[in-house]
Amino acid sequence: MNLAVDRSAAADPEVVCLPMFGMTRTATATAFSPALAGADLRETYLDLPGHGDSPATCPPTSQALLDTVCAWLDHHVDAPVLIAGASYGAYLAAGIARQRPDLVRGLLLVCPGITIAPASRTLPDHRPPPGPAGWLDNAPTELRTHLDTALGHRTPAVVATVLAALHAGGPGDDTFLQKLRTDPGYALPDEATDTPYDGPVSVLTGRQDGIVGYTDQFHAMRRYPRGTFTTIDAAGHYLPFEQPALLRALTQDWLHRTLTSPMPRHTTAQRLRDNGRHG
């Protein structure tokens, strides 16, 4: 539960934002803060265990990371919160909604992982249109293949923005992250479970996302009876940095739906049960 956090001074409602794998709360704020601007929310950005400035104080499994985030929420928030995440952060956010729906008022899932094993993912059949000549020239050699696979909006400016995000924030724990990524526990034990979450959900995907694709995310919409699904052209796995204006528009729609809706039924019922146990 010893997580590094940046939390704005606004009053509730609160939105908790979870990072991409290996990235930091600083990068997450760069991605999400412009999309949330003007909503008068308390914005909370967490470094997951072993990420950024958070120590690796739990086992290197996704379930342990999820449990750590839930413990932090149990200790630091008094009501269900909005949860936003990108990539691995969205994978964990969806897991929280399955396992602890009492903590969740609504979900924003950006380029979410559905299955953790790369070989199990359905990826786009077509390559994105070529970028301008030299669009990857300023990227380190070791990252060029990754960026060529990940990016749909292929410009030098987008590459520079993504590289800045990848290097922003604390150092993280590379040994822990490597163990996490290679351990069988990298997959949540219930990742294939179609447990419904009946709060407002927006799932945003990149049409040219060569990392997690967009097809598996569409099929997973059966889990979200109040879910909106969008796939965006000229966007890949780093959608928040590739298409910030569209992210903002779609985030504002999600906020309107979430903040004007009654609390999800399971959230209210769970809170009442908890109050009965502890009252």
Side-chain angles (χ1 to χ4, degrees), residues 2-278:
N2 184 20
L3 299 179
V5 58
D6 290 331
R7 208 173 190 186
S8 69
D12 290 338
E14 182 166 5
V15 57
V16 176
C17 301
L18 303 180
M20 302 177 81
F21 185 90
M23 294 180 73
T24 68
R25 69 190 192 280
T26 304
T28 311
T30 301
F32 283 111
S33 189
L36 297 167
D40 196 29
L41 297 169
R42 171 176 282 185
E43 297 176 34
T44 297
Y45 299 94
L46 298 177
D47 279 342
L48 298 171
H51 291 62
D53 296 313
S54 289
T57 54
C58 67
T61 68
S62 291
Q63 186 62 53
L65 268 68
L66 186 153
D67 291 341
T68 300
V69 173
C70 289
W72 189 93
L73 292 171
D74 280 331
H75 187 74
H76 291 283
V77 303
D78 296 323
V81 295
L82 292 75
I83 300 183
S87 187
Y88 183 66
Y91 177 77
L92 293 180
I96 293 170
R98 289 193 302 272
Q99 298 181 23
R100 289 292 309 277
D102 57 301
L103 294 172
V104 185
R105 184 170 177 178
L107 283 176
L108 176 64
L109 307 177
V110 180
C111 300
I114 302 299
T115 58
I116 211 71
S120 68
R121 302 169 187 167
T122 306
L123 300 179
D125 294 327
H126 302 290
R127 295 282 297 155
W135 71 281
L136 275 173
D137 283 357
N138 291 328
T141 302
E142 65 271 16
L143 286 177
R144 289 181 186 178
T145 298
H146 169 71
L147 294 173
D148 185 47
T149 301
L151 291 176
H153 191 183
R154 302 155 80 83
T155 70
V158 168
V159 170
T161 301
V162 171
L163 290 176
L166 289 172
H167 294 100
D173 185 326
D174 290 340
T175 300
F176 176 85
L177 294 175
Q178 179 64 17
K179 289 179 179 178
L180 171 61
R181 199 163 206 163
T182 57
D183 192 278
Y186 192 31
L188 288 170
D190 65 341
E191 78 167 22
T193 303
D194 285 333
T195 303
Y197 170 75
D198 64 7
V201 178
S202 281
V203 178
L204 313 183
T205 64
R207 182 64 178 81
Q208 291 85 29
D209 186 340
I211 304 298
V212 300
Y214 60 90
T215 304
D216 297 333
Q217 292 79 358
F218 179 75
H219 291 306
M221 293 303 291
R222 60 185 177 269
R223 304 172 181 176
Y224 306 125
R226 295 195 56 212
T228 293
F229 174 85
T230 305
T231 188
I232 298 173
D233 187 27
H237 197 60
Y238 292 98
L239 187 157
F241 307 109
E242 299 178 68
Q243 295 291 350
L246 284 173
L247 175 65
R248 174 169 169 77
L250 294 164
T251 297
Q252 293 294 313
D253 171 76
W254 170 69
L255 290 174
H256 174 76
R257 290 192 294 120
T258 302
L259 298 177
T260 59
S261 297
M263 289 288 187
R265 292 188 303 274
H266 53 244
T267 299
T268 303
Q270 182 69 48
R271 288 282 169 177
L272 289 173
R273 287 195 293 271
D274 290 346
N275 290 339
R277 283 197 299 267
H278 302 300

